[in-house]
Amino acid sequence: MLELYIGKVVEVSNTLISVAINKELETPFIVINSNPVRIAGVGSFLKIERSIYEIVSEKIVLESDKKEVMNEITSNRVILCKVIGFFENSVFKQGSVGETPNIFDNAYTVTDEELLKIYSGTSCGESISVGQYLYRKDLNFYIDINKFFASHSLIVGNTGSGKSNTLNTIFTELFDNINTNESYFLFVDTNGEYSKAFTEDKLNKVLDTRNAKNNSIHIPLNLLESEDWKLLLEATEKTQYPVIKSVWNSVKKNIFAKEEHANIAEYLLDELKKSIIGILNSNSNTTNKLGAINSIREDFSFMEDEYYKKIEDVFDIFDKYTVNGNKFVISNGTDNYTDCTQCIIKQVESYTTTEIKDSFTVEDMGFLLNITHLHRTYKFNINENNTSPLIGRFNSNKKDFKTIFLPYTVGEKKNVIECLFEDSHILVCDVSRAKKDIRRIMVTFLCAKLYNFSVNCKDNKFSMHLIIDEAHNYLSAQNLDKEDAIAKTCIETFESIIKEGRKFGVFLTMATQRPSDITPTLLSQSHNYVIHKLVNPRDIEIMKNTIPFIDDMSITMLSILAPGQAIFTGTAFNRPNIVQIKFDDSKTKVESDTIKLMNKWRRKRNFDEHSLEIAKQDVDEE
């Protein structure tokens, strides 16, 4: 709309003013270019010099002390306005310009371009359109690219309110209109909805722990750190993590760091011999020592790697001895008093192999954890119950780990970006086919690895965008009350990202239907909010108490928003905006529609006829 003269100031009081509307404009609408345009309605804006005022109420003047003035300017309609900001160098700024208007100053409508800047603080050139203003369907709603995407965001709303389509619309418009090849986008697809969404120029991968052949998320083992294993195995800080740290630091030093000079077969054998000798030199009784060594021997029968079958004969040394009292003695020998422990140790030390092993695998990691656990338990007299749960968790997840983590081979140089994104910059990771706990662990692991890569990248010229759909599955505060170790690690990881990520170019977007489940830190540290319909009073109260950018009118709208309508508010917007999100069947390819049961079911004819007969009888009786 063009700038139109609509009236004059007739009363001034601090930040409030009264404006008399021209008599020609006393009707609610005028027609401009064949389109009805609302003039000076409550909630709209007008301009006086540089200052912008919002219209808060209006009335018809009949008899008052201003009647003579009103007759002079031929108007019966008066509107009350409050100052909200001003334009300076074509930029809208909130607050007062520092001066009040004079009586009889002219008032004008604001142009559509100015209206965009008032609502969202942006212009068309640096923004994308994601819908229309609910009360101005003729006016597109724009998101400022710099303010919205270079920040943390939260999208909330009940099931069926349109969250998935909003997420799709925002990023589809971004990828359609902006070249984002200097950034990386990871979409965590919790329900398998987005394989066809956003753009065709993306990479789809699946985390499938039920069928290894379908899994396409692969990370080489050499990219893991001891902290990653701590997360993957839910290790306790004081008793279990030291075992992981000891094992993994040794692997990195003796295998990964040596690269082509590493002898994996020799290293594993040396670690086995060290553990056996440590057990033999411990203060435990001989029967327990032999039991521990035999438990390692039994584990070899379950190993899939042929290497372990080829070094299994190291245990044949013990077949020559038996336990007598607290001593190892020669089986069927005549000397039952001489302890042969040191003789056994020498034979173990002298055992060698010529076998070659080309890779370091998940199975090797489990082997090292187990023998280190036994070594520490016996040599240092540590309570076995402190670390045995760690071994149990590894064994229960070993199959899944082998599916995801690739063996390390000499010369492996890829970083986490190259492994995940390959030649793309947009990755949709479908985790719907993974077991619940593995899904939570792996989502946290992937996001943590990408965050740490961004932090440690010295010439960080890219931004990293992590988009988590159904975020309550990973970030529920309720799970902390259940002493859920995975939940604690998940929440700590994402709280670290949302607190520190911005300075390293890492930005988090979360979508959830249960904002009351998300931790207060994650809610309050978000910068921008897209709020769809909410009916749960607790969710509404959480939004009211958490978001500093929302007004009471917007809060009252939350429970009556229609599907596809949302309130956009936050640092990227000057004020809360109620928006009708775009919906384009050709672009909106989110597979989240509620199933239509009557496409599958059919009404029973006899039931229908019977119901009609009963209804007729009821009518006749009345």
Side-chain angles (χ1 to χ4, degrees):
M1 186 174 67
L2 299 175
E3 180 179 284
L4 298 175
Y5 166 71
I6 59 172
K8 291 184 179 291
V9 177
V10 294
E11 187 175 10
V12 178
S13 173
N14 296 325
T15 58
L16 295 175
I17 64 168
S18 296
V19 173
I21 301 300
N22 282 350
K23 201 157 192 173
E24 295 82 0
L25 301 176
E26 287 186 353
T27 56
F29 293 89
I30 65 171
V31 176
I32 299 177
N33 296 329
S34 301
N35 293 316
V37 177
R38 187 175 183 228
I39 297 294
V42 172
S44 58
F45 307 93
L46 56 80
K47 178 170 58 176
I48 303 170
E49 298 295 336
R50 288 190 300 154
S51 295
I52 302 298
Y53 290 81
E54 181 179 7
I55 300 170
V56 295
S57 68
E58 65 174 291
K59 64 179 180 177
I60 299 296
V61 175
L62 298 175
E63 296 292 337
S64 74
D65 57 354
K66 292 182 287 185
K67 187 65 177 178
E68 293 182 1
V69 174
M70 303 303 289
N71 287 336
E72 183 179 337
I73 60 177
T74 63
S75 176
N76 289 325
R77 184 182 175 202
V78 175
I79 56 175
L80 185 65
C81 312
K82 66 176 181 179
V83 66
I84 61 166
F86 59 95
F87 280 101
E88 186 173 84
N89 298 325
S90 299
V91 176
F92 178 76
K93 297 183 178 181
Q94 292 180 304
S96 173
V97 73
E99 56 188 46
T100 57
N102 297 315
I103 298 296
F104 297 140
D105 274 355
N106 292 335
Y108 300 88
T109 60
V110 296
T111 66
D112 286 347
E113 184 179 356
E114 289 172 330
L115 191 58
L116 285 176
K117 293 178 181 179
I118 292 170
Y119 273 125
S120 57
T122 188
S123 61
C124 299
E126 295 184 345
S127 60
I128 54 172
S129 171
V130 298
Q132 293 78 38
Y133 291 96
L134 188 62
Y135 301 122
R136 281 289 306 272
K137 295 292 179 64
D138 60 318
L139 193 62
N140 286 336
F141 173 73
Y142 290 88
I143 289 177
D144 187 290
I145 292 172
N146 292 319
K147 293 180 181 178
F148 188 84
F149 292 100
S151 62
H152 307 302
S153 301
L154 179 68
I155 302 174
V156 301
N158 294 146
T159 301
S161 62
K163 292 189 310 299
S164 299
N165 286 327
T166 296
L167 190 66
N168 176 71
T169 297
I170 290 172
F171 285 96
T172 297
E173 289 296 318
L174 176 68
F175 299 142
D176 281 353
N177 293 282
I178 306 296
N179 184 336
T180 60
N181 286 341
E182 296 299 318
S183 299
Y184 292 93
F185 296 82
L186 170 66
F187 293 88
V188 175
D189 185 2
T190 301
N191 295 327
E193 300 174 351
Y194 298 102
S195 62
K196 299 178 181 178
F198 309 124
T199 175
E200 293 182 358
D201 185 23
K202 68 177 183 297
L203 181 64
N204 285 317
K205 289 193 173 183
V206 178
L207 178 66
D208 193 337
T209 57
R210 294 179 172 87
N211 189 339
K213 294 180 180 179
N214 294 333
N215 181 70
S216 52
I217 299 294
H218 298 294
I219 305 291
L221 278 170
N222 61 302
L223 293 184
L224 272 64
E225 301 292 339
S226 55
E227 292 83 359
D228 297 324
W229 282 112
K230 178 185 176 184
L231 163 65
L232 294 168
L233 297 174
E234 308 165 52
T236 57
E237 181 70 35
K238 294 183 179 180
T239 57
Q240 297 173 0
Y241 181 49
V243 178
I244 293 174
K245 196 171 183 180
S246 172
V247 169
W248 200 243
N249 286 346
S250 178
V251 169
K252 289 169 62 178
K253 177 182 177 182
N254 292 283
I255 297 179
F256 302 157
K258 290 184 177 181
E259 296 183 343
E260 67 271 11
H261 301 295
N263 188 327
I264 299 174
E266 184 178 283
Y267 170 72
L268 293 174
L269 179 59
D270 286 346
E271 291 299 301
L272 173 62
K273 288 158 59 174
K274 183 172 73 174
S275 294
I276 292 174
I277 292 169
I279 293 170
L280 291 173
N281 283 329
S282 70
N283 294 325
S284 182
N285 68 67
T286 306
T287 301
N288 289 341
K289 293 177 185 180
L290 185 59
I293 293 168
N294 282 335
S295 71
I296 300 175
R297 187 177 192 174
E298 289 172 7
D299 288 341
F300 270 50
S301 62
F302 298 102
M303 297 287 194
E304 295 180 3
D305 194 325
E306 289 296 321
Y307 166 76
Y308 292 98
K309 294 180 174 59
K310 293 175 181 177
I311 65 168
E312 192 174 9
D313 53 355
V314 68
F315 297 104
D316 293 345
I317 296 170
F318 292 89
D319 293 340
K320 304 171 186 177
Y321 301 91
T322 188
V323 176
N324 183 27
N326 201 31
K327 302 182 182 68
F328 279 107
V329 298
I330 299 174
S331 299
N332 301 320
T334 57
D335 185 356
N336 292 325
Y337 301 99
T338 303
D339 187 3
C340 298
T341 299
Q342 292 306 311
C343 180
I344 296 173
I345 289 174
K346 289 179 181 179
Q347 292 180 65
V348 171
E349 287 177 338
S350 63
Y351 180 86
T352 59
T353 182
T354 57
E355 295 298 325
I356 297 175
K357 199 172 188 304
D358 296 326
S359 61
F360 180 83
T361 67
V362 166
E363 190 171 59
D364 299 330
M365 176 60 176
F367 162 71
L368 291 174
L369 281 176
N370 187 41
I371 61 175
T372 303
H373 151 69
L374 291 172
H375 181 194
R376 289 166 58 88
T377 299
Y378 283 86
K379 184 174 181 179
F380 303 110
N381 197 27
I382 296 174
N383 187 344
E384 183 179 4
N385 293 330
N386 289 337
T387 51
S388 57
L390 176 73
I391 308 304
R393 284 194 293 272
F394 183 94
N395 290 333
S396 64
N397 292 321
K398 183 168 70 172
K399 181 180 177 182
D400 298 328
F401 291 159
K402 288 172 70 175
T403 299
I404 298 166
F405 299 112
L406 298 177
Y408 166 76
T409 54
V410 173
E412 178 64 61
K413 296 289 186 181
K414 285 184 178 180
N415 59 44
V416 67
I417 293 284
E418 293 168 334
C419 290
L420 286 176
F421 289 87
E422 299 178 15
D423 296 327
S424 180
H425 284 256
I426 303 168
L427 171 63
V428 174
C429 182
D430 179 358
V431 299
S432 62
R433 303 175 206 177
K435 291 183 290 188
K436 181 180 178 181
D437 285 347
I438 288 293
R439 181 172 63 195
R440 289 195 296 160
I441 289 172
M442 286 306 302
V443 166
T444 306
F445 167 79
L446 293 176
C447 291
K449 292 302 289 183
L450 293 173
Y451 171 61
N452 290 330
F453 181 84
S454 300
V455 170
N456 296 321
C457 191
K458 296 180 180 178
D459 54 342
N460 189 350
K461 296 180 180 179
F462 61 86
S463 63
M464 180 68 64
H465 302 264
L466 308 174
I467 301 94
I468 315 298
D469 186 36
E470 304 294 350
H472 52 271
N473 285 283
Y474 317 101
L475 307 173
S476 175
Q478 294 182 0
N479 288 334
L480 291 177
D481 300 331
K482 302 174 185 176
E483 298 183 357
D484 187 333
I486 302 177
K488 183 175 183 293
T489 306
C490 290
I491 290 170
E492 286 177 352
T493 299
F494 282 99
E495 286 188 350
S496 176
I497 292 173
I498 207 167
K499 288 176 183 177
E500 306 292 336
R502 193 172 185 176
K503 69 180 74 170
F504 301 110
V506 181
F507 306 105
L508 181 63
T509 298
M510 300 170 288
T512 179
Q513 56 185 277
R514 299 205 303 266
S516 56
D517 279 3
I518 305 296
T519 66
T521 298
L522 290 167
L523 288 176
S524 61
Q525 291 291 324
S526 297
H527 306 118
N528 294 300
Y529 301 84
V530 181
I531 313 170
H532 287 268
K533 182 177 181 178
L534 292 172
V535 295
N536 188 304
R538 187 173 173 222
D539 288 334
I540 295 174
E541 190 67 21
I542 286 286
M543 292 289 97
K544 181 179 179 180
N545 295 334
T546 302
I547 305 175
F549 314 104
I550 197 166
D551 53 27
D552 290 337
M553 186 186 79
S554 299
I555 289 293
T556 59
M557 288 290 295
L558 291 181
S559 61
I560 59 173
L561 291 172
Q565 296 174 357
I567 297 173
F568 285 71
T569 185
T571 58
F573 314 99
N574 288 330
R575 57 194 295 110
N577 304 284
I578 305 178
V579 179
Q580 179 67 54
I581 308 297
K582 286 182 183 179
F583 185 85
D584 185 345
D585 284 333
S586 64
K587 292 184 178 180
T588 305
K589 299 178 180 178
V590 182
E591 299 171 355
S592 63
D593 291 340
T594 303
I595 186 172
K596 295 181 180 179
L597 292 175
M598 286 307 294
N599 289 342
K600 299 177 178 294
W601 297 352
R602 295 290 181 271
R603 188 184 296 277
K604 292 181 178 179
R605 184 174 298 278
N606 60 346
F607 174 82
D608 188 47
E609 292 173 351
H610 181 62
S611 299
L612 288 173
E613 187 63 33
I614 292 175
K616 288 178 181 178
Q617 291 175 4
D618 291 342
V619 171
D620 292 340
E621 290 175 0
E622 290 179 2

